[in-house]
Amino acid sequence: MIYPIVAYGDPVLRKVAKEIKNDGNTDLPKLINDMFETMYLANGIGLAAPQIGLDIRLFVVDGTQLEEEGEDMTTFKKAFINAKILSETGEKWAMEEGCLSIPTVREMVSRHKTLRIRYLDENWQEHEEEFTGMQARIIQHEYDHIQGVLFTDYLNPLKKRLLKGRFNSISNGTVSVDYRMKFPMVKI
Ligand SMILES: [Zn+2]
């Protein structure tokens, strides 16, 4: 199932998402699969559950098509359940980011180079791993989503002011986008 992607301005993107309980009630494998499908159709490399309207601590990443110098991206396809970033270290580095919930906006964001994270995979196996470079950046961006944070929050006040019109056009659905979205200001 392909979900519409929730656009900037929807309150679900601002919630601190809830832990997922392993009570056998949710069909998590199907949901994870659907999230990957939804992400691929929108040409994304990461997607968090709030972006499909669910305030639960789940995100998926797939950077296997990216070629990063000095980084092996070929195995970087994962689901993160109930993730917790334990530490962020290393120098901050800036890179242009975008977000499927904020189409047409791309801005430079500074993030720490390395992180340590604890999470459960789709089989409820616990992992504690270190990621660095591009992989760390993708995880930091998606982790922010389950904390109710968007990459545009890091922009300076002037930049945010300049982008206000664009944010409005994203919220009211007048932005041009080639995947299905749910716009908070559009009544169905
Ligand atoms: Zn995003």
mmCIF file of all heavy atoms in Angstrom, residues 46-48 51 97-102 141-142 145 149-151, ligand 1:
data_model
loop_
_atom_site.group_PDB
_atom_site.id
_atom_site.type_symbol
_atom_site.label_atom_id
_atom_site.label_comp_id
_atom_site.label_asym_id
_atom_site.label_seq_id
_atom_site.Cartn_x
_atom_site.Cartn_y
_atom_site.Cartn_z
ATOM 1 N N GLY A 46 14.922 8.150 2.808
ATOM 2 C CA GLY A 46 14.509 7.925 4.188
ATOM 3 C C GLY A 46 13.055 8.340 4.337
ATOM 4 O O GLY A 46 12.590 9.234 3.625
ATOM 5 N N LEU A 47 12.341 7.655 5.229
ATOM 6 C CA LEU A 47 10.946 8.023 5.490
ATOM 7 C C LEU A 47 10.614 7.639 6.927
ATOM 8 O O LEU A 47 10.919 6.526 7.371
ATOM 9 C CB LEU A 47 9.999 7.287 4.522
ATOM 10 C CG LEU A 47 8.526 7.677 4.617
ATOM 11 C CD1 LEU A 47 8.276 9.071 4.043
ATOM 12 C CD2 LEU A 47 7.631 6.663 3.890
ATOM 13 N N ALA A 48 9.994 8.568 7.645
ATOM 14 C CA ALA A 48 9.623 8.318 9.038
ATOM 15 C C ALA A 48 8.101 8.198 9.141
ATOM 16 O O ALA A 48 7.367 8.828 8.375
ATOM 17 C CB ALA A 48 10.124 9.453 9.924
ATOM 18 N N GLN A 51 5.559 10.933 8.744
ATOM 19 C CA GLN A 51 5.365 11.430 7.375
ATOM 20 C C GLN A 51 4.250 10.699 6.631
ATOM 21 O O GLN A 51 3.836 11.132 5.564
ATOM 22 C CB GLN A 51 6.668 11.318 6.573
ATOM 23 C CG GLN A 51 7.752 12.240 7.089
ATOM 24 C CD GLN A 51 9.011 12.117 6.250
ATOM 25 O OE1 GLN A 51 9.793 11.202 6.441
ATOM 26 N NE2 GLN A 51 9.194 13.023 5.299
ATOM 27 N N GLU A 97 20.137 19.519 2.383
ATOM 28 C CA GLU A 97 19.140 18.478 2.636
ATOM 29 C C GLU A 97 17.797 18.876 2.058
ATOM 30 O O GLU A 97 17.522 20.053 1.842
ATOM 31 C CB GLU A 97 18.976 18.247 4.158
ATOM 32 C CG GLU A 97 20.192 17.638 4.806
ATOM 33 C CD GLU A 97 19.967 17.235 6.259
ATOM 34 O OE1 GLU A 97 18.810 17.072 6.697
ATOM 35 O OE2 GLU A 97 20.986 17.078 6.963
ATOM 36 N N GLY A 98 16.992 17.867 1.819
ATOM 37 C CA GLY A 98 15.605 18.074 1.413
ATOM 38 C C GLY A 98 14.758 17.122 2.218
ATOM 39 O O GLY A 98 15.276 16.366 3.030
ATOM 40 N N CYS A 99 13.438 17.176 2.018
ATOM 41 C CA CYS A 99 12.538 16.326 2.797
ATOM 42 C C CYS A 99 11.285 16.083 1.972
ATOM 43 O O CYS A 99 10.739 17.021 1.387
ATOM 44 C CB CYS A 99 12.196 17.033 4.109
ATOM 45 S SG CYS A 99 11.065 16.094 5.151
ATOM 46 N N LEU A 100 10.817 14.832 1.955
ATOM 47 C CA LEU A 100 9.628 14.508 1.163
ATOM 48 C C LEU A 100 8.401 15.277 1.655
ATOM 49 O O LEU A 100 7.472 15.502 0.885
ATOM 50 C CB LEU A 100 9.342 13.003 1.204
ATOM 51 C CG LEU A 100 10.396 12.105 0.522
ATOM 52 C CD1 LEU A 100 10.018 10.635 0.681
ATOM 53 C CD2 LEU A 100 10.569 12.458 -0.942
ATOM 54 N N SER A 101 8.400 15.707 2.922
ATOM 55 C CA SER A 101 7.276 16.478 3.462
ATOM 56 C C SER A 101 7.386 17.967 3.148
ATOM 57 O O SER A 101 6.442 18.723 3.391
ATOM 58 C CB SER A 101 7.189 16.294 4.980
ATOM 59 O OG SER A 101 6.848 14.962 5.295
ATOM 60 N N ILE A 102 8.560 18.385 2.647
ATOM 61 C CA ILE A 102 8.797 19.812 2.364
ATOM 62 C C ILE A 102 9.346 19.944 0.934
ATOM 63 O O ILE A 102 10.482 20.407 0.741
ATOM 64 C CB ILE A 102 9.774 20.434 3.396
ATOM 65 C CG1 ILE A 102 9.476 19.927 4.811
ATOM 66 C CG2 ILE A 102 9.685 21.969 3.366
ATOM 67 C CD1 ILE A 102 10.491 20.400 5.865
ATOM 68 N N HIS A 141 18.446 12.920 10.215
ATOM 69 C CA HIS A 141 17.277 13.577 9.605
ATOM 70 C C HIS A 141 15.996 12.809 9.956
ATOM 71 O O HIS A 141 14.996 13.405 10.368
ATOM 72 C CB HIS A 141 17.477 13.672 8.084
ATOM 73 C CG HIS A 141 16.329 14.299 7.356
ATOM 74 N ND1 HIS A 141 16.436 15.511 6.707
ATOM 75 C CD2 HIS A 141 15.046 13.893 7.187
ATOM 76 C CE1 HIS A 141 15.257 15.809 6.175
ATOM 77 N NE2 HIS A 141 14.400 14.840 6.441
ATOM 78 N N GLU A 142 16.034 11.470 9.813
ATOM 79 C CA GLU A 142 14.834 10.667 10.082
ATOM 80 C C GLU A 142 14.532 10.612 11.575
ATOM 81 O O GLU A 142 13.365 10.652 11.984
ATOM 82 C CB GLU A 142 14.986 9.253 9.517
ATOM 83 C CG GLU A 142 15.177 9.201 8.005
ATOM 84 C CD GLU A 142 14.166 10.024 7.230
ATOM 85 O OE1 GLU A 142 12.994 10.076 7.645
ATOM 86 O OE2 GLU A 142 14.550 10.643 6.224
ATOM 87 N N HIS A 145 12.563 13.432 12.720
ATOM 88 C CA HIS A 145 11.125 13.315 12.444
ATOM 89 C C HIS A 145 10.369 12.668 13.602
ATOM 90 O O HIS A 145 9.265 13.106 13.929
ATOM 91 C CB HIS A 145 10.882 12.479 11.181
ATOM 92 C CG HIS A 145 10.956 13.265 9.907
ATOM 93 N ND1 HIS A 145 10.121 14.333 9.640
ATOM 94 C CD2 HIS A 145 11.755 13.136 8.823
ATOM 95 C CE1 HIS A 145 10.415 14.824 8.439
ATOM 96 N NE2 HIS A 145 11.405 14.122 7.916
ATOM 97 N N VAL A 149 10.930 17.150 14.890
ATOM 98 C CA VAL A 149 11.835 18.193 14.385
ATOM 99 C C VAL A 149 11.980 18.065 12.864
ATOM 100 O O VAL A 149 12.046 16.952 12.334
ATOM 101 C CB VAL A 149 13.223 18.069 15.069
ATOM 102 C CG1 VAL A 149 14.226 19.043 14.473
ATOM 103 C CG2 VAL A 149 13.092 18.292 16.572
ATOM 104 N N LEU A 150 12.016 19.209 12.175
ATOM 105 C CA LEU A 150 12.215 19.220 10.722
ATOM 106 C C LEU A 150 13.532 19.918 10.393
ATOM 107 O O LEU A 150 13.990 20.774 11.158
ATOM 108 C CB LEU A 150 11.057 19.958 10.047
ATOM 109 C CG LEU A 150 9.678 19.331 10.289
ATOM 110 C CD1 LEU A 150 8.572 20.241 9.781
ATOM 111 C CD2 LEU A 150 9.575 17.954 9.647
ATOM 112 N N PHE A 151 14.118 19.577 9.250
ATOM 113 C CA PHE A 151 15.450 20.132 8.953
ATOM 114 C C PHE A 151 15.417 21.655 8.816
ATOM 115 O O PHE A 151 16.414 22.332 9.088
ATOM 116 C CB PHE A 151 16.074 19.465 7.710
ATOM 117 C CG PHE A 151 15.639 20.013 6.377
ATOM 118 C CD1 PHE A 151 16.385 20.993 5.745
ATOM 119 C CD2 PHE A 151 14.502 19.550 5.753
ATOM 120 C CE1 PHE A 151 16.002 21.517 4.517
ATOM 121 C CE2 PHE A 151 14.104 20.062 4.522
ATOM 122 C CZ PHE A 151 14.849 21.048 3.904
HETATM 123 ZN ZN ZN B 1 12.330 14.483 6.114
#
